[in-house]
Amino acid sequence: MALKLAGKIKTLASTIIMSLRTFIKHLPSNSLLVRFSSLHSLSSLSAYPQHQNHPSKSQEQGQDPYALMREDPIQICSEIWVKSFSTPKSKPFSNLSGFLSRFDIWVLAYQRSVAHFTGSFPTPSAIHSQTLHHLLSLRNAVVKGQFQWNMKTELYIRSPLEKPITEFTSKTTMKKILGSSKPPFQDRVVQEVLLLILEPVFEPRFSSRSHGFRLGRNAHTVIRTIRSNFAGYLWYLRGDLSEVLEKVDKRLVMCCLESVVKDKRVLGLINSALGETANHGLMSDDARKLKKVIGKRKKKKGGDGRRKVLNPNEPKPDPYWLRTFYDFAPDEAAKVPNYGHCGILSPLLANVCLNELDHMMEENMVEFFRPSILDSIWKDSNSDGCHNPAWPEFVPSGGKEKTRKMDYIRYGGHFLIGIRGSREDAVKIREELIDFCSSKLRIKLDYSKVEIEHVSRGILFLDHIICHRVVYPTLRYTGTGGKTVSKKCVGTLLSVTASLPQCIRRFRRLELLKGDKDPEPLPCTAMLYSSQAHTNSQMNKFLETMADWYRYADNRKKVVGFCAYIIRSSLAKLYAARYKLKSRAKVYKIASRSLSHPLRGKGNNGASEYSDLLKLGLVDTIEGVQFSHMSLIPSCDYTPFPRVWIPEHEQILLEYIKLQDPKFFSELRKSIKTQGLSLPQNEISEIVWDFKILGAPRFDITSEKHPQG
């Protein structure tokens, strides 16, 4: 009897072991250990439900990842761009799941995610087959609705930087993993896929007056647009909507998305990502300072002074010059939204919400426009104007008899409105803005966030001051009888200058400067242990970037010269402390004004030693610090900027769509049959002849048929 019972127990145990082996075999290898560790140590702590229908290898045997990689993902994304730009803006997109299920897009999203974390973009052939199977499991989970955001206990795919778990996870380690604010790598892949699909859908529907977080548009396009279009405005409204970047209403985002996208699967993914409104990406200045102070204290207490050793695939940190330039970011560009688990999708969602404000302002601009016969600009329409975009526009002063006009531009969560009219008009527009933001965007704005400023005081936007400079030009023209008449008049020029006080504040934040009225440079202690060649190279890159940032400022030479003086003096103080030379004067005497000559400490005065080492290739060539003289600093860039401007990629898209239209070719064929082919040289000669015979006022360049001379 005992032997029979022992045999039954042995058979039952072998059956359990075989079923357990089958269960383990069908589980993904990357989530096996995490699953069992969570079951035996954190069954009561984990708040995440376990997936019952987790994709297994047996289910994926009929799906070969290499067989699904048939098309070029760039070509698929191009199809989405062409389709969205050729579709009428009022027509919604009802089916995006077809693009969501294409495995080629997921491979591209994985490549972009890996490039973000490792700094290298892997080719499809370099991706391991097991990784492709895991990526296919992630795609299937998203398509079937089984994917959940921020699931750290069940991972479909891991980052190349994450080490695989080779032992059971302890309770303390599991608590640390679940309590970490760092999102899983698979969330980033899903965000990339959604961004690749949704960005081309919304780009043609965005206003041309929105320049933040968009392709082909940046802070420079804002400054150039202001220089070209905002001349003649006396009153300005500067608004701050950064509250939208910090926290957004979930219902508002979904309402704006549903007006364009009708796909329930995509909307469900974004809706679940917005479930948690905690924002981990934004950080106030006080919190940033507190974090720096805490970091310094920890470093003083427990720091061992050793350098961090990077993993084989871990990307190198940003160089010093780039981190320094990031701290120079204007207040309008310092904040990047991060809603819940949306991650890199958050800036697009912020623009989707604020697009309602952009279109409302465009409608108000049309209603506000009231032309005047007595005015010399903006006589006929809201977009025309007698201006020269190659130079700040010469405009007459405003008054009751002048044209009433308004313009609007937005960068991220900040906008600027120029008004040609009375202050009462500006007050009325501000009230309409506050009511619209309260009712539509659910943002409560007070008067401190929407300020009314006169152009004579100067308006600060993107660390540039917009103001009018009064000039007294002498106009000379030929009067009756052929006499030359000289007449003095009064006018204004639009001036866009870089703010020197803001530049000083940025240097103070970097601890390279102290004082306001009489600023004093401080030594650049961050480069204390770097060589002279490396230090000069880093600062040259920083100065080149600063010169490019202030490219469109009228006082470009002045502000870049000031930055060069601060950097050069800071390095001179650093070298004086490093080589024990006591003063900057001695450093300049040995290393020259550009700090390009090698410096030596006391007792090492052999200049020939450095030249010998340089010939042998044992030392680097020391670059001189740039912009040591004002003549070396480039002047302001006054390149013409058209009033109706679109980025280059949109121009190419519109031309491509035009070429796909068969009506265009039929019209082109008819014009060739009727008019024949004409060379560009012939057209240019006709234009020159018309200007000589008929004069410029009678020549209409927009007409289809030119007058014959």
Side-chain angles (χ1 to χ4, degrees):
M1 188 71 180
L3 292 174
K4 289 183 179 180
L5 183 62
K8 288 183 179 180
I9 293 174
K10 186 175 180 181
T11 305
L12 181 62
S14 61
T15 304
I16 293 174
I17 291 173
M18 290 299 295
S19 61
L20 185 60
R21 285 178 179 175
T22 306
F23 177 68
I24 293 174
K25 182 181 179 182
H26 289 175
L27 279 176
S29 60
N30 58 354
S31 62
L32 174 64
L33 294 172
V34 177
R35 180 190 287 265
F36 276 96
S37 62
S38 62
L39 287 174
H40 95 276
S41 63
L42 277 180
S43 59
S44 60
L45 292 175
S46 178
Y48 300 96
Q50 302 292 332
H51 291 304
Q52 299 297 330
N53 299 323
H54 199 284
S56 61
K57 289 185 179 179
S58 61
Q59 295 173 348
E60 294 175 4
Q61 285 178 356
Q63 290 182 324
D64 184 12
Y66 294 99
L68 296 175
M69 297 167 59
R70 303 173 228 174
E71 301 181 56
D72 183 12
I74 305 298
Q75 181 65 29
I76 299 175
C77 295
S78 302
E79 292 176 5
I80 307 176
W81 280 93
V82 172
K83 183 180 179 181
S84 60
F85 271 82
S86 57
T87 305
K89 296 181 180 180
S90 58
K91 185 178 179 181
F93 279 75
S94 58
N95 184 17
L96 291 176
S97 299
F99 295 106
L100 188 64
S101 60
R102 291 201 180 185
F103 189 63
D104 301 280
I105 294 183
W106 286 87
V107 174
L108 178 61
Y110 175 79
Q111 292 173 293
R112 288 162 61 101
S113 303
V114 170
H116 172 75
F117 285 98
T118 64
S120 59
F121 193 86
T123 59
S125 59
I127 303 176
H128 198 271
S129 61
Q130 187 179 10
T131 304
L132 290 176
H133 280 89
H134 294 164
L135 187 62
L136 183 59
S137 302
L138 177 62
R139 189 211 68 167
N140 293 340
V142 171
V143 172
K144 295 177 182 178
Q146 300 171 355
F147 173 77
Q148 293 186 18
W149 298 95
N150 202 29
M151 280 296 293
K152 300 175 182 177
T153 56
E154 294 197 18
L155 301 177
Y156 294 92
I157 192 169
R158 289 181 178 274
S159 169
L161 298 180
E162 296 182 23
K163 296 180 180 179
I165 300 176
T166 56
E167 57 185 8
F168 288 107
T169 309
S170 64
K171 187 175 181 180
T172 306
T173 307
M174 202 65 185
K175 280 184 179 180
K176 186 178 180 182
I177 292 174
L178 295 177
S180 174
S181 61
K182 184 180 178 181
F185 174 77
Q186 62 187 17
D187 286 12
R188 173 81 183 202
V189 178
V190 180
Q191 293 164 8
E192 288 280 3
V193 172
L194 291 174
L195 185 63
L196 290 172
I197 296 174
L198 292 178
E199 187 175 32
V201 171
F202 284 96
E203 269 295 324
R205 289 164 173 80
F206 286 155
S207 170
S208 60
R209 290 172 171 82
S210 167
H211 292 256
F213 313 126
R214 294 185 62 187
L215 293 175
R217 293 173 170 88
N218 49 34
H220 276 169
T221 59
V222 175
I223 296 170
R224 299 182 71 185
T225 303
I226 290 173
R227 181 186 294 279
S228 178
N229 300 356
F230 277 66
Y233 298 124
L234 299 179
W235 296 98
Y236 283 82
L237 282 175
R238 187 181 59 177
D240 182 5
L241 297 174
S242 56
E243 182 181 343
V244 179
L245 305 183
E246 297 172 359
K247 186 177 181 181
V248 70
D249 191 349
K250 178 180 176 181
R251 293 173 296 176
L252 172 64
V253 178
M254 296 309 300
C255 181
C256 296
L257 287 174
E258 289 171 359
S259 62
V260 180
V261 178
K262 301 297 183 181
D263 193 293
K264 294 183 179 180
R265 189 165 295 160
V266 175
L267 293 175
L269 271 174
I270 300 176
N271 188 23
S272 60
L274 290 169
E276 294 185 13
T277 57
N279 196 334
H280 308 293
L282 283 172
M283 187 182 297
S284 61
D285 294 338
D286 297 335
R288 191 183 293 109
K289 291 178 181 178
L290 181 62
K291 188 176 180 180
K292 285 184 178 181
V293 172
I294 294 174
K296 288 181 179 179
R297 289 177 181 175
K298 288 183 179 180
K299 188 174 181 180
K300 288 181 180 179
K301 288 182 180 180
D304 54 358
R306 291 181 296 181
R307 294 185 178 181
K308 180 184 176 182
V309 179
L310 300 176
N311 295 327
N313 294 329
E314 186 176 0
K316 295 181 180 179
D318 293 333
Y320 174 74
W321 70 270
L322 190 57
R323 299 195 304 269
T324 306
F325 180 71
Y326 284 158
D327 287 337
F328 265 82
D331 296 335
E332 293 84 357
K335 293 182 179 179
V336 179
N338 187 9
Y339 305 138
H341 302 299
C342 292
I344 58 175
L345 199 63
S346 302
L348 177 65
L349 299 181
N351 275 331
V352 169
C353 297
L354 294 175
N355 192 42
E356 302 287 333
L357 174 65
D358 300 338
H359 290 304
M360 187 274 294
M361 288 303 304
E362 288 179 346
E363 295 175 0
N364 288 359
M365 287 168 54
V366 177
E367 296 175 0
F368 187 81
F369 179 68
R370 188 175 62 196
S372 175
I373 303 175
L374 302 176
D375 205 342
S376 59
I377 58 176
W378 303 313
K379 291 180 181 180
D380 301 325
S381 66
N382 196 18
S383 60
D384 69 345
C386 305
H387 75 294
N388 179 14
W391 187 259
E393 183 176 358
F394 175 75
V395 294
S397 57
K400 293 182 179 180
E401 70 281 0
K402 302 300 179 183
T403 297
R404 196 176 73 161
K405 191 176 181 295
M406 177 175 62
D407 213 330
Y408 163 85
I409 197 168
R410 179 177 63 85
Y411 184 84
H414 294 75
F415 63 85
L416 187 69
I417 302 174
I419 301 170
R420 186 177 175 88
S422 61
R423 194 180 189 279
E424 288 75 14
D425 296 332
V427 172
K428 184 179 178 181
I429 294 169
R430 179 171 66 175
E431 295 296 336
E432 293 177 358
L433 268 171
I434 293 176
D435 294 341
F436 179 84
C437 293
S438 178
S439 60
K440 297 293 183 180
L441 302 180
R442 300 183 179 98
I443 303 173
K444 294 183 179 179
L445 295 179
D446 51 8
Y447 291 155
S448 63
K449 292 188 176 181
V450 187
E451 300 177 354
I452 300 177
E453 300 181 16
H454 195 268
V455 69
S456 59
R457 297 182 57 185
I459 294 89
L460 181 65
F461 196 73
L462 288 172
D463 284 355
H464 286 68
I465 299 175
I466 306 161
C467 60
H468 277 180
R469 189 171 65 226
V470 180
V471 293
Y472 303 93
T474 301
L475 299 181
R476 294 181 175 86
Y477 57 93
T478 304
T480 56
K483 295 182 179 179
T484 303
V485 180
S486 299
K487 185 179 179 181
K488 289 187 177 181
C489 61
V490 181
T492 54
L493 285 176
L494 181 66
S495 177
V496 181
T497 59
S499 176
L500 199 59
Q502 288 293 105
C503 186
I504 293 174
R505 293 189 189 99
R506 302 288 185 260
F507 273 116
R508 280 212 318 271
R509 188 196 303 176
L510 293 171
E511 298 179 356
L512 295 177
L513 194 67
K514 65 177 181 180
D516 287 330
K517 295 182 180 179
D518 189 14
E520 177 68 20
L522 296 175
C524 182
T525 55
M527 306 295 291
L528 181 61
Y529 298 104
S530 300
S531 63
Q532 184 181 354
H534 182 261
T535 303
N536 286 8
S537 175
Q538 290 286 306
M539 289 308 174
N540 277 336
K541 293 178 181 177
F542 172 69
L543 284 174
E544 290 173 2
T545 313
M546 291 296 296
D548 184 71
W549 163 238
Y550 292 118
R551 180 193 299 181
Y552 302 102
D554 290 339
N555 60 341
R556 185 186 187 185
K557 281 182 171 289
K558 179 180 179 181
V559 69
V560 175
F562 174 77
C563 295
Y565 162 74
I566 296 297
I567 294 299
R568 193 167 56 252
S569 301
S570 176
L571 292 183
K573 284 191 173 184
L574 172 68
Y575 294 152
R578 181 191 298 174
Y579 298 107
K580 300 179 181 180
L581 297 176
K582 296 184 179 180
S583 66
R584 281 184 287 175
K586 291 185 178 180
V587 173
Y588 288 135
K589 185 177 181 180
I590 299 174
S592 76
R593 181 181 176 85
S594 62
L595 303 177
S596 59
H597 296 172
L599 290 164
R600 294 286 184 272
K602 290 185 176 180
N604 296 329
N605 297 323
S608 59
E609 179 184 353
Y610 173 80
S611 60
D612 296 339
L613 294 175
L614 184 62
K615 292 178 181 178
L616 295 174
L618 301 177
V619 295
D620 297 328
T621 306
I622 301 176
E623 301 178 7
V625 179
Q626 294 190 10
F627 310 134
S628 56
H629 298 279
M630 292 293 290
S631 59
L632 302 176
I633 304 175
S635 302
C636 177
D637 188 357
Y638 291 111
T639 306
F641 196 69
R643 278 186 178 273
V644 184
W645 173 85
I646 58 175
E648 185 179 0
H649 70 278
E650 292 188 10
Q651 295 179 12
I652 296 173
L653 272 172
L654 295 176
E655 292 178 2
Y656 179 78
I657 294 170
K658 188 177 179 181
L659 292 174
Q660 298 300 314
D661 188 5
K663 294 182 179 179
F664 172 75
F665 286 99
S666 62
E667 293 176 358
L668 186 62
R669 185 178 179 182
K670 289 180 181 178
S671 64
I672 292 174
K673 285 183 177 180
T674 56
Q675 300 178 6
L677 293 173
S678 61
L679 298 175
Q681 293 83 353
N682 298 336
E683 293 185 0
I684 293 174
S685 62
E686 288 181 7
I687 292 173
V688 174
W689 181 257
D690 290 336
F691 264 82
K692 291 184 72 174
I693 302 301
L694 303 175
R698 293 187 58 186
F699 179 75
D700 186 7
I701 196 170
T702 61
S703 62
E704 295 183 1
K705 294 182 180 180
H706 301 302
Q708 300 296 327

